[in-house]
Amino acid sequence: DSGVTQTPKHLITATGQRVTLRCSPRSGDLSVYWYQQSLDQGLQFLIHYYNGEERAKGNILERFSAQQFPDLHSELNLSSLELGDSALYFCASSVELGLAVSTDTQYFGPGTRLTVL
Amino acid sequence: QKEVEQDPGPLSVPEGAIVSLNCTYSNSAFQYFMWYRQYSRKGPELLMYTYSSGNKEDGRFTAQVDKSSKYISLFIRDSQPSDSATYLCAMSGITGSARQLTFGSGTQLTVLP
């Protein structure tokens, strides 16, 4: 158990709908990363939050957004869902003490499996 | 061309064999190199973490990084059926927005009893 929790485990929804995925980082971790894993694209970075602020964006669609709350949990919002959004969504957390050089490692949650019908 | 290339396998070996997994990369900014193990439908689990070039050993696992060749390896000695999983290499830069991980496509390993 990595200490990172994600809910729900599974989500089945229809095209055009909106869903929210939730992530609670390990105790003390300030950074949260979101990744998408699909069969054809592998594991891809979506977005990174540090202590409530957006740090970096990867291959995240405009239909997707995220935020990190004062208690450090994070939510990934996916809207206008398409069949191609079906994937495993992982969040990972790391300590990241705010230094310019990071030696932190990322610990992954169990993921949310999203199926869009 | 992908930033990180990894042979997807699948790779099947008998129990007790030495397994060699490899990745190549093109981005010179990568400084941290990791190997994750992922069991089916589970989250990736960190196995090894290496900074810059060199070797690192942890039990049956040895990670090697050759930055001059942009090549990293993971060796598994005395492989066990419980090692059957997908192995993902991952890399990241150092500063600011470069901390996100870039993954290889994963190598599926089966260790036969």
Side-chain angles (χ1 to χ4, degrees), chain A residues 35 37 96 99 102 105-106, chain B residues 32 36 38 49 99 101:
Chain A
Y35 294 86
Q37 187 174 37
E96 194 176 331
L99 301 174
S102 170
T105 56
Q106 295 181 27
Chain B
Y32 295 99
Y36 283 83
Q38 186 176 25
Y49 178 94
R99 294 174 179 172
L101 298 177

Side-chain angles (χ1 to χ4, degrees), chain A residues 30-106:
Chain A
L30 300 177
S31 265
V32 170
Y33 301 77
W34 286 98
Y35 294 86
Q36 178 193 59
Q37 187 174 37
S38 60
L39 282 174
D40 56 341
Q41 296 291 328
L43 253 174
Q44 289 207 312
F45 167 69
L46 294 178
I47 198 164
H48 170 207
Y49 274 83
Y50 170 74
N51 203 20
E53 293 188 2
E54 182 185 303
R55 267 284 185 84
K57 275 187 175 181
N59 298 321
I60 188 167
L61 300 171
E62 286 191 10
R63 300 183 285 106
F64 295 2
S65 64
Q67 53 185 328
Q68 186 179 26
F69 295 86
D71 67 352
L72 300 176
H73 91 272
S74 178
E75 293 181 356
L76 179 66
N77 300 297
L78 315 176
S79 61
S80 303
L81 285 167
E82 301 175 0
L83 296 178
D85 298 327
S86 296
L88 267 168
Y89 291 85
F90 290 104
C91 81
S93 74
S94 69
V95 172
E96 194 176 331
L97 301 176
L99 301 174
V101 177
S102 170
T103 59
D104 303 321
T105 56
Q106 295 181 27

Side-chain angles (χ1 to χ4, degrees), chain B residues 10-22:
Chain B
L11 184 60
S12 184
V13 302
E15 183 176 353
I18 296 175
V19 176
S20 172
L21 304 168
N22 312 294

